[in-house]
Amino acid sequence: MSHYRLFIRLIKAGLPKCIIDVLVNWYSKLTPAVKWNTCISRWFLVRSGVRQGGVLSPVLFTIYANLFIDELRASGLGYYTFDMFMGCIMYADDIILLSGSLNDLQSMLNVCDNVSSQLLLKFKTNKCKCIAFGKMTNRAMSGDGLRLDNGVVMWFDTTEYLGIHFRCGKRLQVDIDPIRRRFYAASNSIFMNASHQDQLIQPSSVGICSCFY
């Protein structure tokens, strides 16, 4: 995340000049060093990114990345629920694009490509996936992948978003098998490690019990 582009976004967002001046002064003086055992590297200037764990960092990133949603909404492409734009769902740097046609979806990817160029960001097409739902699923997935950032986004039968697995088909389907497998693996690991113990929690300790439905 380029600091220069971030400051431009903050100015366009209408933040008070005094606050922007403080942020510019603050981020222009980020000079860390790397310590390896007893050796310390030279001090170097950081010109991109926000402070990890900082209270302001999520807000600054939201203002920075919100340009994707603004440009996609302005394009008139994507899915709408009544008058509400639902064509772009974004959580941090994870983006979902929803469209009723392949042509519109490709146009939305082109918009994202243009925005990423403005913000000096790059998409990793090998981590991007296309998945189809509805009556035309087989026809859509039989075609070539869509273009993004000089790469190809291929079609997949399943995809994961925020830990939830979706499967293609005539209807929207949620695949719970990976979650079930992880739960069984964790349960078996706890059982194997606790099988030789008289009791899992000692009377003097404080435990937290979780119930699964």
Side-chain angles (χ1 to χ4, degrees), residues 75-157:
S75 69
L77 301 169
Y79 181 72
Y80 281 81
T81 300
F82 298 105
D83 294 332
M84 181 179 295
F85 176 66
M86 299 292 293
C88 177
I89 300 175
M90 193 169 185
Y91 182 85
D93 58 347
D94 293 324
I95 304 175
I96 288 182
L97 300 181
L98 301 175
S99 175
S101 71
L102 291 179
N103 290 333
D104 283 0
L105 184 56
Q106 180 60 70
S107 298
M108 295 176 73
L109 290 175
N110 295 339
V111 172
C112 290
D113 200 3
N114 293 332
V115 172
S116 65
S117 298
Q118 297 179 41
L119 299 179
L120 302 181
L121 297 175
K122 297 287 289 185
F123 283 102
K124 294 183 178 180
T125 52
N126 60 333
K127 292 187 176 182
C128 300
K129 295 183 179 181
C130 284
I131 189 170
F133 306 96
K135 298 179 180 179
M136 305 298 291
T137 297
N138 295 332
R139 182 178 175 181
M141 298 183 65
S142 63
D144 297 330
L146 302 180
R147 306 292 302 182
L148 175 65
D149 198 9
N150 297 321
V152 178
V153 183
M154 303 304 296
W155 292 95
F156 289 84
D157 294 329

Side-chain angles (χ1 to χ4, degrees), residues 2 9 22 72 82 107 112 150 160 173 177 183 196 198:
S2 168
R9 290 291 300 151
V22 171
L72 287 168
F82 298 105
S107 298
C112 290
N150 297 321
E160 180 183 359
Q173 303 177 67
D177 289 339
F183 172 76
H196 302 292
D198 294 335

